[in-house]
Amino acid sequence: MLAEASRDEPADGGHHLCHTYVLLEEPRDTTFVRRIAEAGGHIVVRPGSKRLCDLVEAADVVQVEWWNHPLVYHSLATTPLPAMRLALWVHISGLGQPLIPAGLLAEADRTLFTSPCSLEATNLLPLVEARPEAFGIANSGFGFASPKRRVSPRHPLRYGYLGTLDFIKMHPAIFDVIDAMDGDIRVAMWGHLDPTGEVAARAAAMRYPERIRFEGYAKDPRAVLKGIDVFFYLLSPGHYGTGENALVEAMSMGATPIVWDNPAERSIVRHGRNGFVVGDVAQCASLLDRIRQNAGEVAELGAAAAADMARSRTPAKTLGVFAETYARLADYPRQRRDFVAALGRDSRAWFLSSLRADPQEAGRRDSAHLLSESRSKGSIGHFRACFPDDPSLAPSVGSEPWQTSHRRDETRTVAS
């Protein structure tokens, strides 16, 4: 997990931004760490409390990359951090579970969401209405720079999916749609597949299992996406993604997307303009049968998708949002932040802050990964792995930590 501190340093009579990146755990993949260092960034891995406080004190702006990672909660709530100017870049939607803690956003000087869909999160509406100037959008998904896309149709059309092969992210009806088609197609699916998992089992149980090809991990996503005409990207309604990098990258390469009618995807795909948005299995199967006979329409929408991504989903556009944010915050006073009040005092409270208040919500599909011991992102298993000796995470007799009748009022700090 990463937090970023920015500091202005004089250079040749002017100023330039110096970035220090704080990683709270050892990076599993050092590719981007090396690229950040080569670009002049300073990287600090697993600093102690004093070192972290020194970095915060030296920074003009502290930016926290937020999702519900246990170590981010821990660093904010247990470290006696000095006064700071605080920006948040939020990498989950907050529409379902995990929630974005409203109390944390109330403590920030400015919050940037990775998708405008987060502005619809019900627990955040009072904050957004009270301080609209404190919120903005900074996309985190960027397209590939690609040559001019062909507009002539390709026969037969090539269909593909690239991303997480798990029903935590994929819509469980994705194979039903392909089975329901009258026409025969082949869909290539790229990503890590558990051969003993639910996705593999559902695909094997299809009436027409030959319509699916699992291709494995895509080492060169750009090359894979260049060969796809229809990007078949049906995601679960409860997924917590926002930037949807794979979707943006596919569209930037001229692939025409088909997506489910979810808020994050709707903020990227405009039905009939740069792709298709569908609402149920029958509608999607009918659409697939129709476009199979209309390759020209697919090529035109793919070209529009590439143009839209080249205009709206670029690093330069996001950098402009950050430059404006840093310039604005430079005039703000440094303040101490009450992260304990915003997030809670222990691991149990931190975990609960990502769940809905109603204990009966524990049965919802969008909470399944959070209640898992599999150590998936922000799950109870992830928290217990990070804090194995924390008694607040130990199951109480006859209940688990999320089964509680007491929750903080997350919007109580709106007026502060």
Side-chain angles (χ1 to χ4, degrees):
M1 195 54 219
L2 177 151
E4 177 184 329
S6 298
R7 183 177 70 255
D8 270 329
E9 290 189 350
D12 301 326
H15 293 272
H16 71 276
L17 284 176
C18 293
H19 296 276
T20 297
Y21 298 84
V22 178
L23 278 66
L24 301 180
E25 57 187 355
E26 294 288 340
R28 298 178 185 178
D29 183 345
T30 59
T31 301
F32 292 103
V33 172
R34 289 196 303 269
R35 289 176 63 178
I36 289 171
E38 290 167 0
H42 180 214
I43 298 169
V44 179
V45 180
R46 298 180 62 186
S49 176
K50 184 179 184 308
R51 175 69 169 138
L52 181 58
C53 289
D54 290 344
L55 290 169
V56 169
E57 189 164 19
D60 292 309
V61 175
V62 174
Q63 178 177 311
V64 174
E65 312 292 310
W66 177 262
W67 58 277
N68 56 319
H69 193 297
L71 295 182
V72 181
Y73 280 103
H74 180 269
S75 291
L76 295 178
T78 68
T79 308
L81 296 170
M84 69 183 82
R85 302 179 184 94
L86 178 62
L88 302 177
W89 196 17
V90 181
H91 297 276
I92 55 176
S93 72
L95 298 178
Q97 301 178 111
L99 302 180
I100 302 167
L104 176 65
L105 273 58
E107 290 293 328
D109 294 308
R110 186 155 172 80
T111 296
L112 298 173
F113 296 118
T114 43
S115 170
C117 73
S118 294
L119 295 169
E120 303 173 23
T122 54
N123 71 315
L124 305 182
L125 288 177
L127 282 171
V128 175
E129 292 172 357
R131 298 172 60 210
E133 74 286 352
F135 297 89
I137 308 299
N139 294 317
S140 61
F142 309 122
F144 290 113
S146 61
K148 186 176 181 180
R149 178 74 175 187
R150 56 178 174 72
V151 293
S152 58
R154 180 160 47 194
H155 297 279
L157 291 173
R158 290 185 280 186
Y159 304 80
Y161 169 96
L162 186 152
T164 303
L165 293 176
D166 190 306
F167 289 133
I168 288 175
K169 191 72 181 281
M170 296 173 67
H171 196 288
I174 191 168
F175 299 116
D176 298 333
V177 169
I178 298 169
D179 247 352
M181 286 187 61
D182 292 329
D184 188 17
I185 66 171
R186 296 293 184 272
V187 180
M189 292 193 164
W190 298 85
H192 287 296
L193 176 71
D194 178 358
T196 64
E198 188 180 4
V199 169
R202 288 285 290 271
M206 292 172 63
R207 288 188 302 157
Y208 306 110
E210 69 278 5
R211 293 181 176 181
I212 301 294
R213 297 196 316 270
F214 291 110
E215 303 285 3
Y217 177 72
K219 294 182 179 179
D220 186 352
R222 189 178 188 277
V224 168
L225 295 171
K226 187 177 181 180
I228 292 175
D229 300 300
V230 178
F231 192 61
F232 194 55
Y233 199 61
L234 301 188
L235 302 185
S236 169
H239 81 84
Y240 51 85
T242 54
E244 295 308 329
N245 291 39
L247 174 60
V248 171
E249 290 173 356
M251 294 173 69
S252 76
M253 296 303 296
T256 298
I258 298 178
V259 300
W260 213 259
D261 189 13
N262 297 326
E265 293 93 297
R266 283 200 311 269
S267 71
I268 301 170
V269 180
R270 302 291 189 267
H271 182 73
R273 194 187 84 182
N274 61 10
F276 299 104
V277 179
V278 295
D280 57 47
V281 169
Q283 181 189 14
C284 190
S286 175
L287 172 67
L288 284 170
D289 277 320
R290 181 177 69 77
I291 66 173
R292 194 168 54 89
Q293 309 297 329
N294 292 275
E297 178 185 9
V298 171
E300 290 176 5
L301 289 176
D308 280 351
M309 296 305 100
R311 182 180 63 256
S312 65
R313 296 301 197 280
T314 65
K317 196 173 185 69
T318 294
L319 285 173
V321 175
F322 282 121
E324 184 274 333
T325 294
Y326 299 154
R328 177 191 298 190
L329 295 191
D331 295 328
Y332 281 41
R334 298 173 186 264
Q335 297 183 52
R336 290 191 176 274
R337 315 289 164 161
D338 192 346
F339 292 117
V340 171
L343 300 172
R345 193 171 298 278
D346 57 25
S347 305
R348 177 188 179 106
W350 305 334
F351 176 69
L352 284 172
S353 74
S354 67
L355 297 183
R356 298 185 188 278
D358 184 355
Q360 298 194 7
E361 290 289 323
R364 290 168 53 98
R365 188 171 191 94
D366 69 353
S367 66
H369 78 284
L370 293 177
L371 308 184
S372 169
E373 293 289 349
S374 67
R375 301 187 185 183
S376 60
K377 291 181 178 180
S379 69
I380 187 64
H382 192 188
F383 270 80
R384 286 173 177 158
C386 289
F387 313 120
D389 300 320
D390 189 334
S392 75
L393 292 175
S396 57
V397 177
S399 68
E400 278 288 81
W402 55 85
Q403 295 173 332
T404 176
S405 59
H406 176 70
R407 287 290 303 275
R408 298 184 318 278
D409 177 6
E410 291 189 318
T411 62
R412 73 191 190 290
T413 56
V414 171
S416 64

